Amino acid sequence: MYAIIETGGKQYKVSEGDIIKVEKLDAEAGNTVTFDQVIAISNKGMKVAADVANATVSASVIEQGRDKKIIVYKFKAKTGYHKKQGHRQSYTKVKIEKINA
């Protein structure tokens, strides 16, 4: 059984027991979060739209963290323009506990 959920503007295919990194959520480590934007559920056949209107996915927060640094470098030839900038995206690591269909 798996579900497709949406959080942070992205969609994730999750099953019970999966550990995923999602966009930063306002929750401490050890807390439980509920994803209510379920797009589809598959359990011996796909259910979408009105069939999953009340479905939720429960997950527990494992940790808050930040990804590896990426370098953003802008350069224009022959003008002496260059700009270097770093970025580290914040994330929340969650473990999927239960899919409530």
Side-chain angles (χ1 to χ4, degrees), residues 11 43 53 62 73 78 91:
Q11 295 176 359
N43 186 14
I62 296 174
Y73 191 76
K78 302 177 187 172
Y91 68 85

Side-chain angles (χ1 to χ4, degrees), residues 20-98:
I20 60 171
K21 286 183 182 179
V22 297
E23 293 291 320
K24 185 167 173 41
L25 301 172
D26 291 330
E28 298 292 326
N31 288 358
T32 302
V33 293
T34 303
F35 300 108
D36 56 353
Q37 291 185 328
V38 178
I39 297 171
I41 293 179
S42 175
N43 186 14
K44 298 178 184 172
M46 183 68 75
K47 295 181 184 178
V48 295
D51 296 335
V52 295
N54 297 325
T56 59
V57 175
S58 301
S60 60
V61 177
I62 296 174
E63 69 174 350
Q64 301 281 359
R66 297 183 76 189
D67 273 334
K68 291 172 39 177
K69 182 180 276 192
I70 62 165
I71 303 299
V72 180
Y73 191 76
K74 297 179 180 180
F75 174 81
K76 292 187 180 178
K78 302 177 187 172
T79 62
Y81 172 80
H82 62 92
K83 185 175 183 180
K84 183 177 180 180
Q85 183 179 5
H87 177 75
R88 289 183 70 191
Q89 185 69 33
S90 298
Y91 68 85
T92 303
K93 189 181 282 189
V94 297
K95 180 177 182 183
I96 305 300
E97 299 293 337
K98 182 147 179 68

